[in-house]
Amino acid sequence: MTSKLAYILAASHSGSTLLSMLLGSHPQVVTTGEINLSPQAIGSLDRYRCSCGELILECAFWQKIKEGMAARGHVFDLSDAGTDFKASDSAYARRLLNPMVRGPWLEGLRDAALSLSPIWRRQFRQIQDRNAAFVSTALDVTGAGVLVDSSKIALRLKYLLRNTELDIKVIRLIRDGRAVGLTYMDPAGFADAKDPGRRAGGMGGDRKDQGMQMAQAAYEWRRCVEEAEQVLRNLSPSQWIEVRYEAYCSRPDETLSRICQFLEIEPGKLPNSFRHVEQHVVGNGMRLDTTSKIQLDERWRSTLSKQELTVFNRVAGDTNRRYGYE
Ligand SMILES: [Zn+2]
């Protein structure tokens, strides 16, 4: 039997954590945020906080996941989840997995080169097994019918689509590239928990070392959009839905009921406040915020300088306008 997975495909900082938590408050849906957990995303496990407020090592939900994974033959630890295709033991494979998704010809070359690595071939099967085991465990533990994975990246989706144990539907999330670009320039200020002490997974800090210049930020966003387009090209129209960040922030009810319909779950069952429903999400800082209010964040309008907007336009303006952002 296959397990149902809804994959949020997006550039990072497009509002995917909020969307996954909104959907996760539905009784038929479970989300843990991003499933492709890298050790770097978690940092120090003994200090890391789950969105339920508990330290992750003391969270009962994650304990049940660990037990469920063990029953399926997998030793599971959040600091080494083994669900990320990019975390291969082979340096050769890691190098090949680095570029974002490109056209069919280059992707064919990538796959052919990867298949030459015996380490990759073995790990690819293991990673696929662990992902399928994780989804079925989370569905079992919660009694939900569909798991939302907000991992976002296109390359992961490309490989998950080959997993015969998963029945995958894609929620493609798009946000104005100028807003996303700003979050890449200052991730702590524009894309993390509002309370500075809860940033970086509850460890705090200004994350100044992670900031980009606008040219790089705009390029990064444009490539994310392009790679999403490449992967979607291979899907049937019934397998994916396009959602705009701006639309779900301004008219959440309308957007969420459209997504519920797409996922074949009852729209009427969404609670008014997603924060009052027990959830165990790891990843982006907003999961640790306390407000349930859905607020459209358009701070880029007053924050980006004329010069920064010019740079954005030069690098990614065409792509942004193609999606109707003038
Ligand atoms: Zn928890």
Side-chain angles (χ1 to χ4, degrees):
M1 212 183 80
T2 57
S3 309
K4 270 192 166 183
L5 176 85
Y7 193 86
I8 301 185
L9 175 64
S12 56
H13 304 325
S14 299
S16 57
T17 307
L18 174 60
L19 182 61
S20 68
M21 289 184 84
L22 287 169
L23 293 169
S25 65
H26 191 290
Q28 289 164 269
V29 179
V30 58
T31 189
T32 59
E34 303 173 15
I35 306 181
N36 66 328
L37 290 165
S38 67
Q40 293 92 317
I42 295 292
S44 166
L45 198 59
D46 50 348
R47 286 166 61 206
Y48 196 84
R49 278 204 188 272
C50 180
S51 69
C52 69
E54 292 282 352
L55 284 170
I56 204 98
L57 291 175
E58 286 161 18
C59 167
F61 169 84
W62 284 106
Q63 192 52 43
K64 281 188 214 154
I65 293 284
K66 202 180 166 106
E67 288 160 16
M69 288 295 279
R72 287 166 174 81
H74 297 276
V75 178
F76 182 81
D77 197 327
L78 266 171
S79 64
D80 184 18
T83 48
D84 183 5
F85 292 99
K86 284 182 144 190
S88 173
D89 289 338
S90 151
Y92 168 79
R94 281 200 305 275
R95 252 197 324 276
L96 286 164
L97 291 164
N98 231 359
M100 288 178 164
V101 177
R102 295 157 296 184
W105 192 76
L106 284 168
E107 284 308 309
L109 270 185
R110 179 192 336 240
D111 288 340
L114 279 170
S115 72
L116 298 175
S117 161
I119 301 178
W120 164 256
R121 289 201 305 271
R122 178 172 46 80
Q123 282 191 323
F124 183 72
R125 280 193 300 274
Q126 284 169 351
I127 295 167
Q128 291 286 24
D129 285 350
R130 287 179 74 85
N131 276 288
F134 183 87
V135 178
S136 84
T137 302
L139 294 180
D140 266 7
V141 164
T142 56
V146 53
L147 177 135
V148 172
D149 178 3
S150 66
S151 293
K152 306 177 297 269
I153 55 173
L155 188 64
R156 171 175 172 80
L157 176 60
K158 169 185 149 166
Y159 291 128
L160 284 180
L161 285 165
R162 296 183 188 170
N163 194 320
T164 51
E165 290 176 65
L166 297 174
D167 171 14
I168 299 181
K169 289 199 156 200
V170 180
I171 301 168
R172 188 203 183 182
L173 180 60
I174 300 173
R175 180 181 184 187
D176 192 319
R178 292 165 290 193
V180 179
L182 176 60
T183 69
Y184 296 168
M185 293 170 74
D186 181 3
F190 296 93
D192 206 330
K194 291 193 172 57
D195 172 0
R198 288 176 178 243
R199 287 175 185 164
M203 277 161 244
D206 61 9
R207 300 169 64 187
K208 278 279 181 261
D209 52 322
Q210 295 174 15
M212 293 178 187
Q213 297 292 314
M214 179 48 111
Q216 196 194 349
Y219 177 74
E220 182 81 15
W221 174 79
R222 195 190 83 203
R223 284 295 295 123
C224 286
V225 171
E226 288 168 353
E227 71 163 356
E229 289 167 352
Q230 291 291 352
V231 174
L232 291 172
R233 214 160 274 169
N234 301 317
L235 296 184
S236 77
S238 63
Q239 212 180 345
W240 66 281
I241 187 174
E242 185 180 292
V243 172
R244 298 301 177 98
Y245 162 82
E246 295 80 7
Y248 91 69
C249 287
S250 347
R251 300 180 300 279
D253 295 350
E254 192 184 306
T255 307
L256 289 171
S257 72
R258 197 163 63 91
I259 299 175
C260 287
Q261 209 167 19
F262 169 68
L263 297 177
E264 295 163 336
I265 55 174
E266 295 164 55
K269 291 213 168 150
L270 276 169
N272 289 327
S273 168
F274 71 94
R275 297 260 180 213
H276 294 148
V277 177
E278 183 187 311
Q279 296 206 53
H280 307 276
V281 172
V282 292
N284 184 285
M286 71 67 60
R287 75 202 162 83
L288 297 175
D289 282 341
T290 45
T291 174
S292 214
K293 206 165 148 224
I294 301 163
Q295 205 170 18
L296 178 63
D297 179 354
E298 291 213 301
R299 284 178 287 174
W300 68 269
R301 289 184 189 276
S302 54
T303 310
L304 291 178
S305 69
K306 220 170 166 181
Q307 195 200 353
E308 284 162 342
L309 286 170
T310 307
V311 173
F312 177 87
N313 267 321
R314 181 166 49 77
V315 180
D318 284 348
T319 307
N320 214 28
R321 281 186 291 275
R322 197 146 54 74
Y323 287 92
Y325 296 111
E326 293 296 341

